[in-house]
Amino acid sequence: MVHYGHSNQLRQAKAMGDYLIVGVHTDAEIAKHKGPPVFTQEERYKMVRAIKWVDEIVEGAPYVTTLETLDKYSCDFCVHGDDITLTVDGKDTYEEVKHAGRYRECRRTQGVSTTDLVGRMLLMTKAHHSNMDSQHYQQHTDNFGKGPKGHSPWTGVSQFLQTSQKIIQFASGKEPQPTDTIIYVAGAFDLFHIGHVDFLEMVYKQAEKPYVIVGLHFDQEVNRYKGKNYPIMNIHERTLSVLACRYVSEVVIGAPYAVGKDLLDHFKEPRKRGIFKTIDSGNSLTTDDIVQRIIENRLQFEARNQKKEAKEMAVIEAMKKREQQEQQSEATAQAAH
């Protein structure tokens, strides 16, 4: 998937340098090393391009980042999150660049992962799911994010906590200029996906100097018109997802369902009304479609997470052992002195 956790890593990566190139893997590479991808490679290429901190993308990037790859694209170093990524045979995919001193790390966003989002979507089969603390959710996370032994800190389900700092980091901070055309759109924008990106790109192209404001409905409002356990992402997560998009200038958190005079006046919209336009994004993908993809592949996804966690646990065990051995040899050396 492409979610706001990835956007946050790309934001941090961009801050470490001047020009950010993002390598995106093919579906085949992901299926081999991790399990079935949720979004297709074409969807992922387009979604990553739409993240505002990205300068360029490399399509079909190799799963293992080598020095040869860095040199090919004239990169000084590469950046990854502070979780472990392993190849299908359990090797650290960044070993070579780490040894060469051309690796930097950024912090993972607590409370979001593809695993977690997939877990929430699978709860769609439980229409009575009302909140994260429900017994069913707990039971489900236990089945979904835990392998046979222990619990990996990188796979599993945790909850996202919004802070004002995160919003500030994602926000453009730009006021609309007198020459800008202010365009307002509203909706749930749940599980921010390529259908949303295509729509916002079309909206952005409606003016020479667009200032696009996205109104996001509160969770209760979305649930009222979507039902089941929608939205999959809460209002805080949806805010960051939309702010990360390069076509968006501002977000209204908890926008009214009906667009009234007050809202338009607040943004000093042109006084003339009759300014409503319907735009066809040319993409019919919906949040429902993505949930269906997940439910159809349910067993594969559950197997993916358990396998991923088992690999991570093995690495953690190996790291612990290595530490113990190092401590023992240090103690032996000291005793010898």
Side-chain angles (χ1 to χ4, degrees):
M1 285 186 76
V2 181
H3 54 67
Y4 67 91
H6 297 127
S7 301
N8 194 32
Q9 289 186 317
L10 296 174
R11 178 189 66 76
Q12 293 174 67
K14 174 71 183 227
M16 296 178 191
D18 307 300
Y19 191 85
L20 180 63
I21 301 176
V22 182
V24 184
H25 308 311
T26 60
D27 292 345
E29 278 281 78
I30 292 175
K32 180 182 161 189
H33 295 280
K34 292 179 101 167
V38 179
F39 295 160
T40 67
Q41 60 200 47
E42 293 306 322
E43 289 170 340
R44 289 182 290 107
Y45 297 155
K46 195 159 185 185
M47 284 196 71
V48 175
R49 278 196 180 97
I51 295 170
K52 63 184 175 186
W53 298 286
V54 176
D55 294 300
E56 190 184 320
I57 80 155
V58 171
E59 297 184 3
Y63 196 76
V64 175
T65 303
T66 59
L67 293 170
E68 188 189 348
T69 307
L70 293 187
D71 292 340
K72 184 178 175 182
Y73 299 102
S74 311
C75 296
D76 295 296
F77 57 88
C78 71
V79 180
H80 192 262
D82 53 4
D83 57 328
I84 287 184
T85 54
L86 306 167
T87 60
V88 71
D89 47 10
K91 289 199 174 75
D92 180 354
T93 49
Y94 289 92
E95 204 168 356
E96 187 182 320
V97 289
K98 281 178 180 174
H99 285 158
R102 290 172 70 180
Y103 174 85
R104 306 271 192 287
E105 219 160 60
C106 60
R107 299 228 309 278
R108 268 189 67 128
T109 310
Q110 280 302 310
V112 65
S113 64
T114 297
T115 310
D116 177 27
L117 294 172
V118 166
R120 296 186 209 178
M121 284 184 262
L122 287 175
L123 284 173
M124 294 307 283
T125 53
K126 296 182 169 68
H128 58 266
H129 164 62
S130 60
N131 63 25
M132 294 296 203
D133 301 321
S134 79
Q135 203 181 338
H136 289 282
Y137 189 80
Q138 219 29 63
Q139 182 190 334
H140 167 77
T141 64
D142 291 348
N143 300 343
F144 197 73
K146 287 193 173 73
K149 290 183 191 142
H151 180 58
S152 162
W154 302 303
T155 299
V157 186
S158 56
Q159 272 174 278
F160 170 72
L161 296 173
Q162 181 71 289
T163 62
S164 55
Q165 186 59 28
K166 280 202 190 89
I167 295 177
I168 289 165
Q169 287 166 342
F170 272 58
S172 72
K174 291 193 187 92
E175 294 272 320
Q177 298 307 302
T179 53
D180 288 352
T181 302
I182 299 174
I183 307 171
Y184 178 78
V185 298
F189 291 88
D190 191 17
L191 276 184
F192 196 70
H193 56 70
I194 193 67
H196 298 131
V197 169
D198 284 343
F199 170 67
L200 290 169
E201 184 183 11
M202 291 297 284
V203 168
Y204 186 82
K205 286 177 175 169
Q206 297 303 301
E208 207 173 310
K209 287 187 169 176
Y211 188 94
V212 179
I213 299 166
V214 176
L216 291 176
H217 302 141
F218 276 133
D219 297 347
Q220 298 90 320
E221 189 68 54
V222 176
N223 190 260
R224 184 184 61 75
Y225 63 79
K226 292 266 297 193
K228 295 185 188 163
N229 78 328
Y230 285 116
I232 306 289
M233 283 185 167
N234 66 39
I235 184 73
H236 306 303
E237 299 176 297
R238 292 184 285 122
T239 298
L240 295 187
S241 303
V242 172
L243 281 174
C245 181
R246 63 172 72 249
Y247 307 120
V248 175
S249 300
E250 181 64 293
V251 166
V252 179
I253 303 168
Y257 187 67
V259 179
K261 181 180 177 299
D262 290 351
L263 185 95
L264 296 176
D265 287 346
H266 177 79
F267 292 113
K268 303 182 174 54
E269 293 265 352
R271 285 291 161 266
K272 64 176 190 296
R273 296 303 183 234
I275 47 178
F276 180 76
K277 218 182 201 180
T278 306
I279 288 171
D280 181 5
S281 69
N283 187 325
S284 61
L285 187 76
T286 65
T287 301
D288 253 340
D289 295 335
I290 291 164
V291 171
Q292 278 315 118
R293 288 182 192 183
I294 299 288
I295 289 171
E296 281 161 21
N297 291 307
R298 178 178 188 143
L299 294 173
Q300 274 179 289
F301 279 112
E302 289 188 342
R304 163 201 186 270
N305 289 348
Q306 288 185 357
K307 206 165 87 183
K308 183 170 178 277
E309 180 147 47
K311 276 201 303 192
E312 288 167 356
M313 290 305 295
V315 169
I316 291 167
E317 286 306 312
M319 281 158 66
K320 273 188 196 156
K321 265 192 197 145
R322 200 180 311 150
E323 261 177 51
Q324 284 167 353
Q325 283 166 351
E326 281 169 7
Q327 283 167 355
Q328 279 170 352
S329 52
E330 268 175 38
T332 313
Q334 281 169 350
H337 283 305

